[in-house]
Amino acid sequence: MTHARTAAAARRADKSPRAASSNGTGPAGSTDPVEGLRARADMLFRAAAECLHQHDRYSRFVEHEVLDGEQKGAQQLVRLCDEMLSGAVSSYEKWCHVRPDNGDASWWRPANALWMAARELARRCDCSDKAARRAGNTATDFGELACDFDLEASALLGLRVAVEEYRKARPEAALAGVTPKS
C-alpha cells in the first residue's frame, strides 16, 4: 500500500483528526478523550474484522478456481479493505497518546494489540507486494517469495487473534448485521 493511498484512507476514516485530537472531542461531540480513543479502537476492530472476512473470501475463490473476473473483483475488495484498515490504524495512532486511567479500561490493551497486529499485516502485505514485483525465475526468488507470503499469512493469523481478543473485551463494538463474525 502506498503512502499516498494510506494518507487518503486516513483522511476518509477520520474527517478532521487534527481538530478532533487538539480539542479532545470524541464521538458525538463528547469531550472525553478516552471516548475518542475507544471510538477509534472500535472502528479499527470493525475494519480489521471486515479485512479478515474479505481475505478469507478471496482465498476461497482462489481455492475453488472461480472465473478470473470474479477473483479480480474479490482481490479489489481485499485491497479496498486493506486501505480501510490502514485508515483506521492511522486514525487510532492520532489518539493513542491517550491512556485510560480508570478501572473500566479492559478494552485498552486488546485495542493496542489490535493496532500492532494491523500495522504488522500492512507491513507484511507491502513486503509481499514488493517481493512479487521483483521476483525472478530462480529457485531462490521463489523461496523468498514463499517466505514473504508465509509471513503475511502469519500476520493475518495474528490479526485474527487480536480481533477476537478485542471482541471478547468489548462485544458492543461489533455492530449487528455489519461486523463479520469469525
Side-chain angles (χ1 to χ4, degrees), residues 95-151:
W95 287 72
C96 68
H97 64 279
V98 174
R99 183 177 178 142
D101 56 358
N102 58 16
D104 185 34
S106 59
W107 58 271
W108 184 65
R109 288 190 192 280
N112 284 334
L114 180 58
W115 169 49
M116 299 304 280
R119 287 178 49 184
E120 179 64 9
L121 176 63
R123 186 173 80 85
R124 287 297 171 193
C125 286
D126 282 346
C127 290
S128 295
D129 289 347
K130 289 175 187 170
R133 281 193 295 273
R134 73 173 181 264
N137 291 329
T138 67
T140 303
D141 291 337
F142 286 124
E144 288 175 5
L145 187 59
C147 181
D148 281 327
F149 283 121
D150 285 345
L151 290 169

Side-chain angles (χ1 to χ4, degrees), residues 7-170:
R11 285 191 299 276
R12 287 190 301 272
D14 194 10
K15 294 290 186 201
S16 178
R18 282 183 229 258
S21 63
S22 65
N23 68 14
T25 59
S30 169
T31 58
D32 183 7
V34 173
E35 284 299 315
L37 177 65
R38 188 176 357 204
R40 274 129 189 106
D42 289 352
M43 177 177 66
L44 179 60
F45 160 72
R46 289 186 292 271
E50 185 61 33
C51 186
L52 289 169
H53 174 72
Q54 293 302 327
H55 274 269
D56 290 346
R57 181 175 176 263
Y58 176 65
S59 70
R60 285 190 301 274
F61 279 9
V62 171
E63 180 182 318
H64 293 290
E65 299 178 4
V66 299
L67 294 173
D68 285 344
E70 196 171 9
Q71 273 191 33
K72 189 172 185 161
Q75 189 177 40
Q76 289 172 339
L77 281 172
V78 166
R79 285 191 183 122
L80 180 63
C81 285
D82 287 348
E83 288 179 22
M84 182 176 70
L85 181 59
S86 179
V89 165
S90 295
S91 180
Y92 186 82
E93 285 174 348
K94 289 179 176 81
W95 287 72
C96 68
H97 64 279
V98 174
R99 183 177 178 142
D101 56 358
N102 58 16
D104 185 34
S106 59
W107 58 271
W108 184 65
R109 288 190 192 280
N112 284 334
L114 180 58
W115 169 49
M116 299 304 280
R119 287 178 49 184
E120 179 64 9
L121 176 63
R123 186 173 80 85
R124 287 297 171 193
C125 286
D126 282 346
C127 290
S128 295
D129 289 347
K130 289 175 187 170
R133 281 193 295 273
R134 73 173 181 264
N137 291 329
T138 67
T140 303
D141 291 337
F142 286 124
E144 288 175 5
L145 187 59
C147 181
D148 281 327
F149 283 121
D150 285 345
L151 290 169
E152 183 178 333
S154 178
L156 272 168
L157 180 59
L159 184 62
R160 188 174 312 281
V161 169
V163 162
E164 289 311 311
E165 288 302 311
Y166 191 79
R167 188 185 309 269
K168 287 178 195 171
R170 192 157 156 70

